[in-house]
Amino acid sequence: MRHSQFAKLTWFSCITLSLILSGCKDDNNTPDIPATSADPLVGIWQAPAYGQVLDMQADSHQLYQLTSVSCQRIEFDMAHDKLKSSMQVSNDNNSIVNTFTGVKNPGIVMHKQNSLPDLCVNDLTANKGEANYQFDAQQDFEIFWQTFSQYYAFFDIEDVDWDEVFQLANNQISPQTTEAELVDILTQMVEPLQDFHVDVNNEELDIQFSVHRKDNLYDIALQDFMFTQQVELPFEPEQEEAFEIYFENAEQQYREAIGSHFVIDSDIETDDNETLFWATFENNIGYLNVDTMDLNEIGDSDNSVEQNKALLAETLDEVMEYFADVDGVIIDVRYNLGGDDFASTMIVSRFIDKFLHVYSKQARLGDSRTPLQQVIIGSQGSRQFLGPVAVMTSASTSSAAETFAMSMRQRANTTLVGEATAGGFSDGLDKVLPHGTEFSLSNEFYLTPDNEEFEGVGVPVDIEQAFFTLEQREQGIDLGLEKAEAWIMQQQ
Protein backbone atom coordinates (compact mmCIF):
# COMPACT_ATOMS: atom_id res chain seq x y z
CA MET A 1 0.00 0.00 0.00
CA ARG A 2 1.36 3.42 -0.97
CA HIS A 3 1.54 6.48 1.26
CA SER A 4 0.16 9.92 0.57
CA GLN A 5 -0.42 13.04 2.65
CA PHE A 6 -3.65 14.66 3.77
CA ALA A 7 -4.66 17.30 6.27
CA LYS A 8 -3.56 16.42 9.80
CA LEU A 9 -3.48 12.66 9.21
CA THR A 10 -1.61 10.35 6.86
CA TRP A 11 -2.96 7.70 4.56
CA PHE A 12 -0.83 4.67 5.46
CA SER A 13 -0.94 2.12 3.37
CA CYS A 14 1.15 -0.14 1.04
CA ILE A 15 -0.31 -0.91 -0.14
CA THR A 16 -4.52 -0.16 0.19
CA LEU A 17 -6.08 3.18 0.67
CA SER A 18 -7.08 2.86 4.26
CA LEU A 19 -10.12 4.35 5.91
CA ILE A 20 -9.39 7.57 7.75
CA LEU A 21 -11.57 9.18 10.34
CA SER A 22 -12.74 12.74 9.80
CA GLY A 23 -14.00 15.74 11.70
CA CYS A 24 -16.11 18.79 10.90
CA LYS A 25 -17.75 19.71 14.22
CA ASP A 26 -16.14 21.50 17.14
CA ASP A 27 -18.59 21.10 20.02
CA ASN A 28 -17.66 18.53 22.66
CA ASN A 29 -21.14 17.47 23.72
CA THR A 30 -23.50 16.11 21.10
CA PRO A 31 -27.17 15.70 21.99
CA ASP A 32 -29.05 12.49 21.41
CA ILE A 33 -30.62 12.33 17.97
CA PRO A 34 -34.40 12.72 17.99
CA ALA A 35 -36.15 9.56 16.87
CA THR A 36 -38.33 11.65 14.57
CA SER A 37 -35.44 12.94 12.41
CA ALA A 38 -36.58 12.96 8.77
CA ASP A 39 -33.14 12.09 7.41
CA PRO A 40 -32.34 8.42 8.14
CA LEU A 41 -28.61 9.16 7.92
CA VAL A 42 -28.75 11.59 10.83
CA GLY A 43 -27.66 9.87 14.01
CA ILE A 44 -24.80 8.29 15.92
CA TRP A 45 -23.22 5.40 14.02
CA GLN A 46 -20.61 3.04 15.46
CA ALA A 47 -18.34 0.37 13.94
CA PRO A 48 -17.07 -1.64 16.95
CA ALA A 49 -14.59 -3.67 14.90
CA TYR A 50 -12.90 -0.50 13.68
CA GLY A 51 -13.08 1.67 16.79
CA GLN A 52 -14.96 4.35 14.89
CA VAL A 53 -17.95 6.48 15.84
CA LEU A 54 -19.62 8.88 13.41
CA ASP A 55 -21.85 11.71 14.64
CA MET A 56 -23.84 12.52 11.50
CA GLN A 57 -25.92 15.70 11.59
CA ALA A 58 -28.01 17.29 8.83
CA ASP A 59 -25.22 19.58 7.62
CA SER A 60 -22.11 18.53 9.56
CA HIS A 61 -20.33 15.46 10.86
CA GLN A 62 -17.72 14.44 13.41
CA LEU A 63 -15.67 11.24 13.54
CA TYR A 64 -14.28 9.75 16.74
CA GLN A 65 -11.56 7.20 17.41
CA LEU A 66 -12.51 4.87 20.27
CA THR A 67 -10.92 2.28 22.55
CA SER A 68 -12.08 0.98 25.92
CA VAL A 69 -9.85 3.59 27.61
CA SER A 70 -10.06 6.61 25.30
CA CYS A 71 -12.10 8.63 22.83
CA GLN A 72 -10.58 11.24 20.50
CA ARG A 73 -11.96 13.54 17.85
CA ILE A 74 -10.19 13.01 14.53
CA GLU A 75 -9.98 15.90 12.07
CA PHE A 76 -10.33 15.12 8.39
CA ASP A 77 -11.47 17.44 5.62
CA MET A 78 -14.28 15.54 3.91
CA ALA A 79 -17.14 17.27 2.12
CA HIS A 80 -20.35 16.54 4.00
CA ASP A 81 -22.46 15.89 0.90
CA LYS A 82 -19.86 13.49 -0.50
CA LEU A 83 -19.77 11.60 2.78
CA LYS A 84 -23.57 11.32 2.82
CA SER A 85 -23.63 10.06 -0.76
CA SER A 86 -21.28 7.20 0.19
CA MET A 87 -23.54 5.95 3.00
CA GLN A 88 -26.27 3.39 2.32
CA VAL A 89 -28.87 2.93 5.04
CA SER A 90 -30.54 -0.41 5.80
CA ASN A 91 -34.25 -0.97 5.31
CA ASP A 92 -34.87 -0.73 9.06
CA ASN A 93 -32.70 2.43 9.34
CA ASN A 94 -30.64 0.78 12.10
CA SER A 95 -27.36 0.32 10.18
CA ILE A 96 -25.42 1.83 7.31
CA VAL A 97 -22.71 0.68 4.96
CA ASN A 98 -20.20 3.50 4.68
CA THR A 99 -17.59 3.52 1.91
CA PHE A 100 -16.26 6.92 3.03
CA THR A 101 -16.54 8.47 -0.47
CA GLY A 102 -15.54 5.22 -2.16
CA VAL A 103 -12.25 4.72 -0.34
CA LYS A 104 -13.46 1.63 1.53
CA ASN A 105 -14.75 -1.26 -0.59
CA PRO A 106 -16.78 -3.09 0.53
CA GLY A 107 -17.92 -0.46 2.97
CA ILE A 108 -17.81 -0.61 6.76
CA VAL A 109 -21.04 -1.59 8.49
CA MET A 110 -21.95 0.91 11.22
CA HIS A 111 -24.81 0.47 13.68
CA LYS A 112 -27.09 3.20 15.00
CA GLN A 113 -26.68 4.22 18.66
CA ASN A 114 -28.90 6.26 20.94
CA SER A 115 -26.03 8.55 21.94
CA LEU A 116 -22.28 8.96 21.85
CA PRO A 117 -20.24 6.64 24.10
CA ASP A 118 -19.74 8.06 27.60
CA LEU A 119 -16.00 8.46 26.99
CA CYS A 120 -16.71 10.75 24.03
CA VAL A 121 -19.03 12.94 26.10
CA ASN A 122 -17.64 12.97 29.64
CA ASP A 123 -13.97 12.03 29.27
CA LEU A 124 -12.85 13.10 25.80
CA THR A 125 -9.08 12.84 25.36
CA ALA A 126 -7.57 16.15 24.29
CA ASN A 127 -5.40 16.19 21.18
CA LYS A 128 -2.35 18.33 20.55
CA GLY A 129 -3.51 21.83 19.67
CA GLU A 130 -6.79 21.52 21.58
CA ALA A 131 -7.63 23.22 24.86
CA ASN A 132 -6.35 21.46 28.00
CA TYR A 133 -3.87 19.33 26.02
CA GLN A 134 -0.72 18.26 27.82
CA PHE A 135 1.69 15.60 26.58
CA ASP A 136 1.34 12.44 28.63
CA ALA A 137 3.63 9.59 27.54
CA GLN A 138 1.92 7.06 29.80
CA GLN A 139 -1.53 7.92 28.45
CA ASP A 140 -0.46 7.76 24.81
CA PHE A 141 1.42 4.50 25.37
CA GLU A 142 -1.68 2.92 26.91
CA ILE A 143 -3.91 4.13 24.04
CA PHE A 144 -1.44 2.65 21.54
CA TRP A 145 -1.26 -0.68 23.37
CA GLN A 146 -5.04 -0.83 23.88
CA THR A 147 -5.74 -0.09 20.22
CA PHE A 148 -3.68 -3.09 19.12
CA SER A 149 -5.07 -5.23 21.95
CA GLN A 150 -8.65 -4.57 20.80
CA TYR A 151 -8.32 -4.45 17.03
CA TYR A 152 -5.13 -6.12 15.73
CA ALA A 153 -5.98 -9.49 14.19
CA PHE A 154 -2.73 -11.37 13.70
CA PHE A 155 -0.69 -11.71 16.91
CA ASP A 156 -0.66 -15.48 16.31
CA ILE A 157 1.29 -15.32 13.03
CA GLU A 158 4.55 -14.36 14.78
CA ASP A 159 3.42 -15.73 18.18
CA VAL A 160 3.57 -12.32 19.86
CA ASP A 161 2.41 -12.12 23.50
CA TRP A 162 0.95 -8.60 23.57
CA ASP A 163 0.54 -8.62 27.36
CA GLU A 164 4.24 -9.36 27.71
CA VAL A 165 4.99 -6.54 25.28
CA PHE A 166 3.01 -4.22 27.56
CA GLN A 167 5.08 -5.12 30.62
CA LEU A 168 8.41 -4.69 28.85
CA ALA A 169 7.45 -1.36 27.30
CA ASN A 170 5.67 -0.01 30.37
CA ASN A 171 8.88 -0.38 32.36
CA GLN A 172 10.52 2.11 29.99
CA ILE A 173 7.89 4.84 30.42
CA SER A 174 8.32 7.59 33.01
CA PRO A 175 7.01 11.15 33.54
CA GLN A 176 10.23 12.34 31.89
CA THR A 177 9.75 10.31 28.68
CA THR A 178 9.88 12.61 25.63
CA GLU A 179 7.84 12.29 22.44
CA ALA A 180 10.87 10.98 20.54
CA GLU A 181 11.62 8.42 23.22
CA LEU A 182 8.00 7.30 23.27
CA VAL A 183 7.89 6.82 19.50
CA ASP A 184 11.06 4.72 19.70
CA ILE A 185 9.39 2.52 22.32
CA LEU A 186 6.28 2.17 20.16
CA THR A 187 8.28 1.02 17.13
CA GLN A 188 10.07 -1.56 19.27
CA MET A 189 6.68 -2.85 20.43
CA VAL A 190 5.34 -3.57 16.92
CA GLU A 191 8.53 -4.62 15.15
CA PRO A 192 8.07 -8.33 16.13
CA LEU A 193 4.74 -8.39 14.28
CA GLN A 194 6.63 -8.25 10.94
CA ASP A 195 3.48 -6.80 9.35
CA PHE A 196 3.95 -4.25 6.55
CA HIS A 197 0.50 -2.80 7.20
CA VAL A 198 1.70 -1.76 10.64
CA ASP A 199 3.26 1.72 10.42
CA VAL A 200 4.38 4.29 12.98
CA ASN A 201 4.97 7.82 11.67
CA ASN A 202 5.68 11.21 13.19
CA GLU A 203 6.19 13.99 10.66
CA GLU A 204 7.48 16.54 13.18
CA LEU A 205 10.13 14.11 14.41
CA ASP A 206 10.87 12.87 10.87
CA ILE A 207 10.16 9.27 11.90
CA GLN A 208 8.71 6.72 9.48
CA PHE A 209 8.70 3.11 10.62
CA SER A 210 7.49 -0.03 8.92
CA VAL A 211 8.71 -3.60 8.65
CA HIS A 212 7.94 -6.57 6.44
CA ARG A 213 8.06 -10.31 6.75
CA LYS A 214 9.50 -11.26 3.34
CA ASP A 215 12.44 -9.85 1.41
CA ASN A 216 11.33 -7.37 -1.25
CA LEU A 217 13.27 -6.41 -4.37
CA TYR A 218 15.22 -3.74 -2.50
CA ASP A 219 16.27 -6.29 0.12
CA ILE A 220 17.34 -8.77 -2.55
CA ALA A 221 19.44 -6.17 -4.35
CA LEU A 222 20.97 -5.06 -1.05
CA GLN A 223 22.03 -8.60 -0.20
CA ASP A 224 23.45 -9.10 -3.70
CA PHE A 225 25.36 -5.82 -3.47
CA MET A 226 26.87 -6.74 -0.11
CA PHE A 227 27.86 -10.16 -1.45
CA THR A 228 29.38 -8.96 -4.71
CA GLN A 229 31.13 -5.94 -3.16
CA GLN A 230 32.14 -7.73 0.05
CA VAL A 231 30.79 -4.94 2.27
CA GLU A 232 28.66 -4.90 5.41
CA LEU A 233 26.16 -2.56 7.03
CA PRO A 234 26.23 0.19 8.09
CA PHE A 235 27.46 1.69 4.81
CA GLU A 236 29.78 4.64 4.44
CA PRO A 237 28.29 7.54 2.41
CA GLU A 238 30.12 6.49 -0.75
CA GLN A 239 28.86 2.91 -0.31
CA GLU A 240 25.28 4.15 0.08
CA GLU A 241 25.62 6.08 -3.17
CA ALA A 242 27.14 3.07 -4.90
CA PHE A 243 24.26 0.86 -3.76
CA GLU A 244 21.60 3.26 -5.03
CA ILE A 245 23.27 3.15 -8.45
CA TYR A 246 23.47 -0.65 -8.18
CA PHE A 247 19.76 -0.90 -7.39
CA GLU A 248 18.80 1.36 -10.31
CA ASN A 249 20.91 -0.81 -12.62
CA ALA A 250 19.30 -3.97 -11.23
CA GLU A 251 15.83 -2.57 -11.96
CA GLN A 252 16.96 -1.68 -15.48
CA GLN A 253 18.24 -5.24 -15.98
CA TYR A 254 14.82 -6.52 -14.93
CA ARG A 255 13.05 -4.24 -17.42
CA GLU A 256 15.43 -5.18 -20.22
CA ALA A 257 14.87 -8.89 -19.58
CA ILE A 258 11.14 -8.35 -20.02
CA GLY A 259 11.70 -6.22 -23.11
CA SER A 260 13.68 -9.02 -24.75
CA HIS A 261 10.41 -10.94 -25.10
CA PHE A 262 8.59 -8.22 -27.06
CA VAL A 263 7.91 -8.74 -30.74
CA ILE A 264 10.56 -6.75 -32.60
CA ASP A 265 9.25 -3.39 -33.86
CA SER A 266 5.87 -3.95 -32.21
CA ASP A 267 4.00 -1.14 -30.50
CA ILE A 268 4.40 -0.83 -26.71
CA GLU A 269 1.47 1.01 -25.21
CA THR A 270 1.22 2.73 -21.85
CA ASP A 271 -1.24 4.83 -19.85
CA ASP A 272 -0.55 8.53 -19.33
CA ASN A 273 1.23 8.00 -15.99
CA GLU A 274 3.13 4.89 -17.18
CA THR A 275 1.65 2.78 -14.39
CA LEU A 276 0.37 0.18 -16.86
CA PHE A 277 2.03 -0.88 -20.09
CA TRP A 278 1.15 -3.59 -22.57
CA ALA A 279 2.77 -5.23 -25.56
CA THR A 280 2.84 -8.41 -27.63
CA PHE A 281 5.25 -11.32 -27.13
CA GLU A 282 6.24 -13.90 -29.68
CA ASN A 283 3.69 -16.70 -30.25
CA ASN A 284 0.89 -14.10 -30.21
CA ILE A 285 0.84 -13.67 -26.43
CA GLY A 286 -0.27 -10.39 -24.87
CA TYR A 287 1.65 -8.93 -21.94
CA LEU A 288 0.21 -6.48 -19.38
CA ASN A 289 2.40 -5.02 -16.63
CA VAL A 290 0.51 -3.37 -13.75
CA ASP A 291 2.93 -1.38 -11.62
CA THR A 292 0.46 -0.19 -8.97
CA MET A 293 -3.15 -0.52 -7.80
CA ASP A 294 -3.10 3.00 -6.35
CA LEU A 295 -5.75 5.01 -8.20
CA ASN A 296 -4.04 8.27 -7.27
CA GLU A 297 -0.98 7.09 -9.20
CA ILE A 298 -2.95 5.56 -12.06
CA GLY A 299 -5.02 8.74 -12.32
CA ASP A 300 -4.51 12.03 -10.47
CA SER A 301 -4.40 12.68 -6.72
CA ASP A 302 -6.52 15.80 -7.28
CA ASN A 303 -9.31 13.73 -8.82
CA SER A 304 -12.20 12.07 -7.05
CA VAL A 305 -12.27 8.28 -6.75
CA GLU A 306 -14.91 8.13 -9.48
CA GLN A 307 -12.85 10.29 -11.84
CA ASN A 308 -9.82 8.04 -11.41
CA LYS A 309 -11.96 4.95 -11.88
CA ALA A 310 -13.13 6.43 -15.17
CA LEU A 311 -9.52 6.97 -16.27
CA LEU A 312 -8.62 3.38 -15.42
CA ALA A 313 -11.70 2.15 -17.29
CA GLU A 314 -10.59 4.07 -20.40
CA THR A 315 -7.13 2.53 -20.16
CA LEU A 316 -8.58 -0.96 -19.78
CA ASP A 317 -10.74 -0.37 -22.87
CA GLU A 318 -7.52 0.29 -24.81
CA VAL A 319 -5.86 -2.81 -23.33
CA MET A 320 -8.79 -5.05 -24.29
CA GLU A 321 -8.82 -3.66 -27.82
CA TYR A 322 -5.07 -4.33 -28.09
CA PHE A 323 -5.57 -7.92 -26.87
CA ALA A 324 -8.51 -8.60 -29.21
CA ASP A 325 -6.65 -11.17 -31.32
CA VAL A 326 -4.01 -12.61 -28.98
CA ASP A 327 -4.09 -16.28 -27.95
CA GLY A 328 -3.21 -15.73 -24.29
CA VAL A 329 -2.29 -12.99 -21.83
CA ILE A 330 0.40 -12.64 -19.17
CA ILE A 331 -0.44 -10.17 -16.36
CA ASP A 332 2.67 -9.17 -14.42
CA VAL A 333 2.20 -7.81 -10.87
CA ARG A 334 5.58 -8.91 -9.51
CA TYR A 335 6.60 -5.32 -8.82
CA ASN A 336 3.19 -4.11 -7.64
CA LEU A 337 3.09 -2.86 -4.03
CA GLY A 338 -0.70 -2.54 -3.93
CA GLY A 339 -3.10 0.35 -3.53
CA ASP A 340 -6.87 0.07 -3.94
CA ASP A 341 -8.88 -3.15 -4.03
CA PHE A 342 -11.39 -1.61 -6.42
CA ALA A 343 -8.58 -1.04 -8.95
CA SER A 344 -7.80 -4.76 -8.68
CA THR A 345 -11.41 -5.77 -9.19
CA MET A 346 -11.78 -3.43 -12.17
CA ILE A 347 -8.92 -5.24 -13.91
CA VAL A 348 -10.33 -8.66 -13.03
CA SER A 349 -13.70 -7.60 -14.51
CA ARG A 350 -12.13 -7.41 -17.98
CA PHE A 351 -11.16 -11.09 -17.88
CA ILE A 352 -14.52 -12.65 -16.96
CA ASP A 353 -17.93 -12.86 -18.65
CA LYS A 354 -20.13 -13.67 -15.66
CA PHE A 355 -20.45 -12.84 -11.98
CA LEU A 356 -17.63 -14.32 -9.92
CA HIS A 357 -17.23 -14.55 -6.14
CA VAL A 358 -13.55 -13.63 -5.79
CA TYR A 359 -13.06 -13.27 -2.04
CA SER A 360 -14.76 -12.34 1.24
CA LYS A 361 -13.82 -9.96 4.05
CA GLN A 362 -14.47 -9.66 7.75
CA ALA A 363 -12.88 -7.84 10.67
CA ARG A 364 -11.79 -8.88 14.11
CA LEU A 365 -14.52 -8.21 16.69
CA GLY A 366 -13.15 -9.02 20.12
CA ASP A 367 -12.69 -12.80 20.24
CA SER A 368 -14.91 -13.29 17.19
CA ARG A 369 -15.33 -11.72 13.75
CA THR A 370 -17.83 -9.55 11.92
CA PRO A 371 -20.11 -11.28 9.38
CA LEU A 372 -18.47 -12.11 6.07
CA GLN A 373 -18.91 -9.60 3.25
CA GLN A 374 -18.69 -11.33 -0.11
CA VAL A 375 -16.97 -9.52 -2.96
CA ILE A 376 -18.63 -10.53 -6.22
CA ILE A 377 -17.42 -9.08 -9.54
CA GLY A 378 -19.28 -8.86 -12.83
CA SER A 379 -17.78 -8.26 -16.25
CA GLN A 380 -17.25 -4.63 -17.27
CA GLY A 381 -16.55 -2.89 -20.54
CA SER A 382 -17.58 -3.76 -24.07
CA ARG A 383 -14.85 -6.37 -24.54
CA GLN A 384 -13.36 -9.02 -22.27
CA PHE A 385 -10.49 -11.45 -22.76
CA LEU A 386 -11.60 -14.99 -21.87
CA GLY A 387 -8.64 -17.02 -23.07
CA PRO A 388 -5.75 -18.42 -20.97
CA VAL A 389 -4.17 -16.00 -18.51
CA ALA A 390 -0.93 -16.39 -16.56
CA VAL A 391 -0.64 -14.09 -13.54
CA MET A 392 2.94 -13.45 -12.41
CA THR A 393 3.58 -12.70 -8.72
CA SER A 394 6.54 -12.32 -6.40
CA ALA A 395 7.23 -11.85 -2.70
CA SER A 396 7.00 -8.10 -3.44
CA THR A 397 3.43 -8.41 -4.75
CA SER A 398 1.59 -6.73 -1.90
CA SER A 399 -1.80 -5.73 -0.51
CA ALA A 400 -4.30 -4.89 -3.28
CA ALA A 401 -2.08 -6.66 -5.80
CA GLU A 402 -2.49 -9.77 -3.65
CA THR A 403 -6.27 -9.46 -3.72
CA PHE A 404 -5.92 -9.27 -7.50
CA ALA A 405 -3.98 -12.55 -7.50
CA MET A 406 -6.50 -14.10 -5.09
CA SER A 407 -9.34 -12.96 -7.36
CA MET A 408 -7.79 -14.20 -10.61
CA ARG A 409 -7.19 -17.53 -8.89
CA GLN A 410 -10.98 -18.04 -8.99
CA ARG A 411 -11.06 -17.60 -12.77
CA ALA A 412 -11.06 -20.65 -15.04
CA ASN A 413 -8.16 -21.14 -17.47
CA THR A 414 -5.77 -19.19 -15.23
CA THR A 415 -2.48 -20.07 -13.58
CA LEU A 416 -0.20 -18.22 -11.14
CA VAL A 417 3.54 -18.18 -11.89
CA GLY A 418 6.47 -17.02 -9.76
CA GLU A 419 6.56 -16.71 -5.98
CA ALA A 420 3.91 -16.61 -3.25
CA THR A 421 2.87 -13.02 -2.62
CA ALA A 422 3.94 -10.88 0.36
CA GLY A 423 1.12 -12.00 2.66
CA GLY A 424 -0.52 -8.73 3.74
CA PHE A 425 -4.19 -8.37 2.80
CA SER A 426 -5.92 -6.32 5.50
CA ASP A 427 -6.47 -2.65 4.82
CA GLY A 428 -4.40 -0.56 7.20
CA LEU A 429 -6.65 0.72 10.00
CA ASP A 430 -5.28 4.21 10.60
CA LYS A 431 -5.15 5.81 14.04
CA VAL A 432 -3.49 8.81 15.67
CA LEU A 433 -2.24 9.39 19.22
CA PRO A 434 -3.06 12.61 21.10
CA HIS A 435 0.46 13.98 20.64
CA GLY A 436 0.26 13.45 16.86
CA THR A 437 2.06 10.20 16.09
CA GLU A 438 0.09 8.33 13.42
CA PHE A 439 -0.01 4.54 13.17
CA SER A 440 -1.85 1.79 11.36
CA LEU A 441 -2.65 -1.84 12.04
CA SER A 442 -4.25 -4.85 10.36
CA ASN A 443 -7.73 -5.75 11.57
CA GLU A 444 -9.30 -7.50 8.57
CA PHE A 445 -9.35 -11.07 7.26
CA TYR A 446 -9.49 -11.86 3.55
CA LEU A 447 -10.82 -15.30 2.65
CA THR A 448 -11.12 -17.15 -0.63
CA PRO A 449 -14.55 -18.55 -1.59
CA ASP A 450 -13.26 -21.84 -0.12
CA ASN A 451 -12.44 -20.05 3.17
CA GLU A 452 -8.68 -20.20 2.72
CA GLU A 453 -6.65 -17.44 4.39
CA PHE A 454 -3.21 -16.36 3.17
CA GLU A 455 -2.30 -13.60 5.65
CA GLY A 456 1.37 -13.96 6.53
CA VAL A 457 2.11 -16.57 3.85
CA GLY A 458 0.82 -15.03 0.64
CA VAL A 459 -1.20 -16.33 -2.30
CA PRO A 460 0.48 -19.54 -3.50
CA VAL A 461 1.50 -20.07 -7.11
CA ASP A 462 0.89 -23.02 -9.41
CA ILE A 463 4.29 -22.79 -11.13
CA GLU A 464 7.19 -21.72 -8.92
CA GLN A 465 10.07 -19.57 -10.13
CA ALA A 466 12.27 -17.21 -8.13
CA PHE A 467 12.22 -13.60 -9.29
CA PHE A 468 14.91 -10.91 -9.48
CA THR A 469 17.80 -13.28 -8.75
CA LEU A 470 21.36 -12.12 -9.35
CA GLU A 471 21.94 -14.94 -11.85
CA GLN A 472 18.94 -14.02 -13.98
CA ARG A 473 19.78 -10.33 -13.95
CA GLU A 474 23.40 -10.93 -14.96
CA GLN A 475 22.29 -13.24 -17.78
CA GLY A 476 19.54 -10.91 -18.95
CA ILE A 477 16.83 -13.57 -18.67
CA ASP A 478 13.46 -13.88 -16.96
CA LEU A 479 12.73 -17.53 -16.23
CA GLY A 480 9.31 -16.69 -14.83
CA LEU A 481 8.21 -15.14 -18.10
CA GLU A 482 9.53 -18.16 -19.98
CA LYS A 483 7.45 -20.50 -17.81
CA ALA A 484 4.36 -18.31 -18.20
CA GLU A 485 4.74 -18.31 -21.99
CA ALA A 486 5.24 -22.07 -22.04
CA TRP A 487 2.06 -22.63 -20.02
CA ILE A 488 -0.03 -20.46 -22.34
CA MET A 489 1.30 -22.26 -25.42
CA GLN A 490 0.30 -25.57 -23.84
CA GLN A 491 -3.29 -24.34 -23.58
CA GLN A 492 -3.60 -23.66 -27.32
Side-chain angles (χ1 to χ4, degrees):
M1 185 171 291
R2 302 293 179 88
H3 296 195
S4 60
Q5 296 293 323
F6 71 99
K8 298 193 178 180
L9 200 59
T10 300
W11 294 92
F12 294 112
S13 198
C14 75
I15 242 152
T16 51
L17 285 173
S18 303
L19 172 65
I20 307 297
L21 302 182
S22 70
C24 297
K25 285 188 67 180
D26 293 324
D27 46 333
N28 288 331
N29 299 315
T30 303
D32 294 354
I33 302 303
T36 58
S37 174
D39 187 345
L41 293 178
V42 170
I44 306 296
W45 305 96
Q46 184 169 355
Y50 294 80
Q52 297 163 2
V53 180
L54 168 62
D55 176 4
M56 193 73 178
Q57 299 296 318
D59 54 8
S60 64
H61 61 270
Q62 174 66 61
L63 274 291
Y64 295 86
Q65 172 181 298
L66 186 68
T67 73
S68 62
V69 300
S70 62
C71 179
Q72 300 162 247
R73 286 180 299 200
I74 306 300
E75 296 187 8
F76 174 48
D77 184 16
M78 179 182 290
H80 187 69
D81 288 342
K82 289 185 64 177
L83 177 59
K84 288 184 67 174
S85 67
S86 66
M87 298 165 61
Q88 182 176 356
V89 68
S90 63
N91 290 334
D92 62 7
N93 292 341
N94 287 328
S95 64
I96 58 171
V97 175
N98 195 343
T99 67
F100 284 81
T101 68
V103 170
K104 194 72 176 176
N105 184 33
I108 292 177
V109 177
M110 309 186 82
H111 301 282
K112 198 164 194 175
Q113 308 296 311
N114 291 327
S115 61
L116 285 172
D118 287 344
L119 280 171
C120 301
V121 177
N122 300 316
D123 197 15
L124 190 66
T125 302
N127 292 321
K128 196 172 190 176
E130 296 178 344
N132 302 319
Y133 171 77
Q134 185 174 3
F135 174 64
D136 185 334
Q138 185 70 40
Q139 168 195 263
D140 288 14
F141 157 70
E142 291 181 3
I143 292 174
F144 183 85
W145 183 89
Q146 188 65 40
T147 302
F148 275 85
S149 180
Q150 285 185 230
Y151 305 117
Y152 186 70
F154 302 110
F155 291 115
D156 59 306
I157 291 180
E158 298 296 336
D159 195 25
V160 173
D161 185 333
W162 197 238
D163 291 327
E164 182 179 344
V165 169
F166 177 90
Q167 295 300 330
L168 293 173
N170 191 46
N171 291 336
Q172 302 177 57
I173 305 291
S174 75
Q176 288 73 45
T177 300
T178 66
E179 287 188 16
E181 291 169 339
L182 174 62
V183 175
D184 184 57
I185 292 170
L186 302 182
T187 61
Q188 294 177 42
M189 291 171 64
V190 297
E191 185 173 8
L193 299 174
Q194 298 292 296
D195 183 341
F196 63 81
H197 279 138
V198 172
D199 292 339
V200 179
N201 298 286
N202 188 301
E203 187 174 352
E204 289 185 4
L205 297 174
D206 194 26
I207 295 173
Q208 292 185 329
F209 173 86
S210 64
V211 68
H212 45 266
R213 187 172 287 111
K214 297 185 180 183
D215 287 345
N216 57 30
L217 302 187
Y218 190 88
D219 298 324
I220 294 170
L222 179 62
Q223 294 166 14
D224 291 342
F225 176 79
M226 293 170 63
F227 173 74
T228 58
Q229 303 300 312
Q230 293 296 294
V231 294
E232 296 181 355
L233 294 172
F235 288 162
E236 298 294 332
E238 61 272 14
Q239 293 172 327
E240 291 181 1
E241 183 177 349
F243 170 67
E244 293 303 325
I245 295 173
Y246 179 89
F247 184 58
E248 290 177 5
N249 290 337
E251 290 184 304
Q252 182 61 30
Q253 290 172 324
Y254 149 71
R255 289 188 288 267
E256 290 175 355
I258 293 174
S260 68
H261 291 253
F262 296 160
V263 172
I264 297 176
D265 296 328
S266 66
D267 293 331
I268 300 172
E269 305 288 342
T270 181
D271 66 335
D272 289 342
N273 291 344
E274 299 185 352
T275 56
L276 292 84
F277 73 86
W278 53 99
T280 305
F281 285 180
E282 298 291 346
N283 302 306
N284 199 34
I285 296 173
Y287 174 80
L288 172 62
N289 188 296
V290 185
D291 184 60
T292 181
M293 298 296 180
D294 189 335
L295 274 186
N296 283 333
E297 297 182 11
I298 294 172
D300 190 319
S301 59
D302 292 330
N303 286 348
S304 68
V305 171
E306 293 306 318
Q307 287 173 320
N308 283 334
K309 281 184 176 181
L311 290 175
L312 176 57
E314 291 175 8
T315 297
L316 293 175
D317 287 341
E318 295 179 31
V319 173
M320 291 299 103
E321 184 67 28
Y322 188 95
F323 288 163
D325 298 318
V326 300
D327 295 323
V329 170
I330 296 171
I331 306 177
D332 194 342
V333 291
R334 290 177 295 179
Y335 211 75
N336 192 312
L337 301 181
D340 303 303
D341 285 342
F342 41 79
S344 302
T345 56
M346 285 181 67
I347 299 172
V348 174
S349 75
R350 301 306 183 102
F351 292 89
I352 57 177
D353 63 350
K354 59 185 178 181
F355 286 105
L356 186 65
H357 176 199
V358 290
Y359 61 87
S360 300
K361 285 181 68 173
Q362 58 188 167
R364 178 190 167 190
L365 183 60
D367 293 330
S368 61
R369 300 184 183 188
T370 60
L372 278 173
Q373 292 177 288
Q374 290 188 349
V375 176
I376 298 174
I377 304 174
S379 62
Q380 296 179 13
S382 60
R383 185 191 298 271
Q384 297 81 37
F385 180 82
L386 304 178
V389 174
V391 177
M392 304 196 66
T393 63
S394 75
S396 291
T397 303
S398 306
S399 196
E402 299 187 77
T403 63
F404 172 77
M406 178 184 283
S407 299
M408 290 295 291
R409 199 167 173 260
Q410 309 311 315
R411 178 188 183 272
N413 207 14
T414 303
T415 197
L416 270 62
V417 182
E419 302 169 328
T421 61
F425 295 84
S426 172
D427 293 342
L429 177 59
D430 292 346
K431 301 289 184 179
V432 62
L433 293 174
H435 74 268
T437 289
E438 300 153 356
F439 64 100
S440 67
L441 56 97
S442 302
N443 73 315
E444 295 174 328
F445 305 88
Y446 279 62
L447 293 80
T448 71
D450 295 326
N451 292 323
E452 298 173 287
E453 296 182 38
F454 299 128
E455 187 76 28
V457 296
V459 179
V461 295
D462 304 300
I463 302 172
E464 293 187 358
Q465 178 57 58
F467 174 55
F468 207 68
T469 64
L470 177 61
E471 293 77 13
Q472 290 182 68
R473 298 199 310 272
E474 289 181 339
Q475 296 176 38
I477 59 176
D478 189 331
L479 297 179
L481 273 182
E482 293 177 12
K483 290 185 176 182
E485 289 179 279
W487 179 83
I488 288 178
M489 292 174 63
Q490 290 171 2
Q491 313 310 305
Q492 299 174 12

